[in-house]
Structures are given as C-alpha cells and as structure tokens.
Amino acid sequence: MQIALIVTCVAARQASGLAGPAEDAEAAYRRGDVGKAIEIARQAAERSDPQAQAVLAFFLYTKVPPDPVEAMMWWRRSAEQGHAEGQFMLATQYFYGVATPPDYGAAYKWALVAARSPDLSEAARNEVLKLAGEIRARLGPEQIKAAQEEAVAFHPKRER
C-alpha cells in the first residue's frame, strides 16, 4: 500500500509541471544522481519551500539506505505549510509507524486535511480517502471526533 501511495505522489508531481529547484532536483533524481537531487532539494527546503520539502522527504525516504526519520520531519514541515503531498505522506507515516510508533489519530487528521486540498489529483485524493477509511476503522468514536476537530481547525502556516 505504501509504495502505491508514493507512486501516486510521484505521478502527481510529474503531472504538476514543477518549476525551479524542485524540477532540477527531480531531473537529477531521474538521472540517478540521488546525492545531487538531495542537495538541490535541501537548499530549497531550508528556504521554507513546501514543494522542495516534500520532494526532499521523498528522496530521503527512497534513497539507500533510507532515512525515514528525516523524511518525516520534512513531510511535517511541508504539511504544516499546507502542501497536500506532505499532508498525504505524513498521514501514511503515522498510519504505518515507519519513523514513529503508529498514531492513528494523527494519521486520520492528516488524511482528512489532505483530502480537502484542491491540489491533489483525483487519483491521489482517492488514495487519501481509501487510507482515511482504513484509519477510521481502527479508531474509537472519541478519537474520530478529536481528529475531525483537529482537521477542521487546521490552517496552513508559512514558515518564515
């Protein structure tokens, strides 16, 4: 399931016509120069570019050896700024417990936030909604209510 989510995000990124550093980083990644891709993406991510943060997280998560802890940190920063892919991938990380113990309440919150983003492709939105259903099945009524309230209260905040 998680690989399908990553593939969906990659397809959405490719269809979005990235510009600037994220596009340059993607090009380096496709050439197999993962180190250069990470370097380019990291420079833009450190300047608070949410797209670059999500791209960097993807590179860190898929490199050999992977670094899921740092990837999750970058997905979180991207998600907090309102980037749909960051929100989507943060939900998966909390659900699967890759870099942190599973937290179904946080996973559900981020899935709900991502699902309402106008920036998701239809395929990605369907994956998010599917994931949200799987997460919801593992939560009690109080947890569902709390996650829904947190999702409704979420407002993106640009980094300075």
Side-chain angles (χ1 to χ4, degrees):
M1 171 82 172
Q2 193 154 13
I3 296 299
L5 296 174
I6 290 171
V7 169
T8 300
C9 283
V10 170
R13 272 204 316 273
Q14 290 172 344
S16 71
L18 299 175
E23 182 179 64
D24 295 342
E26 288 276 353
Y29 188 82
R30 284 190 300 273
R31 285 192 311 271
D33 193 348
V34 177
K36 184 68 172 173
I38 290 172
E39 177 187 332
I40 294 167
R42 187 179 301 278
Q43 288 173 1
E46 288 172 349
R47 290 191 306 270
S48 301
D49 178 333
Q51 175 68 32
Q53 291 168 342
V55 168
L56 175 60
F58 172 80
F59 294 159
L60 293 169
Y61 191 80
T62 59
K63 74 180 182 89
V64 178
D67 189 344
V69 173
E70 186 178 2
M72 187 165 174
M73 184 267 302
W74 287 110
W75 273 318
R76 175 183 308 289
R77 286 181 62 180
S78 177
E80 292 287 350
Q81 291 192 79
H83 191 269
E85 181 184 335
Q87 295 163 349
F88 180 48
M89 293 307 297
L90 193 57
T92 68
Q93 298 306 300
Y94 279 123
F95 181 63
Y96 291 107
V98 176
T100 184
D103 182 338
Y104 300 132
Y108 192 55
K109 168 200 167 180
W110 285 111
L112 293 175
V113 170
R116 71 179 194 214
S117 172
D119 298 328
L120 281 181
S121 69
E122 183 179 343
R125 185 174 326 286
N126 289 339
E127 287 296 324
V128 171
L129 292 173
K130 181 177 172 184
L131 178 66
E134 291 179 38
I135 298 165
R136 184 182 172 106
R138 296 177 186 223
L139 296 173
E142 294 298 318
Q143 293 170 302
I144 291 169
K145 181 180 178 194
Q148 288 171 336
E149 289 172 355
E150 288 179 29
V152 167
F154 173 78
H155 296 289
K157 295 177 187 79
R158 293 288 298 166
E159 294 179 354
R160 297 181 194 259

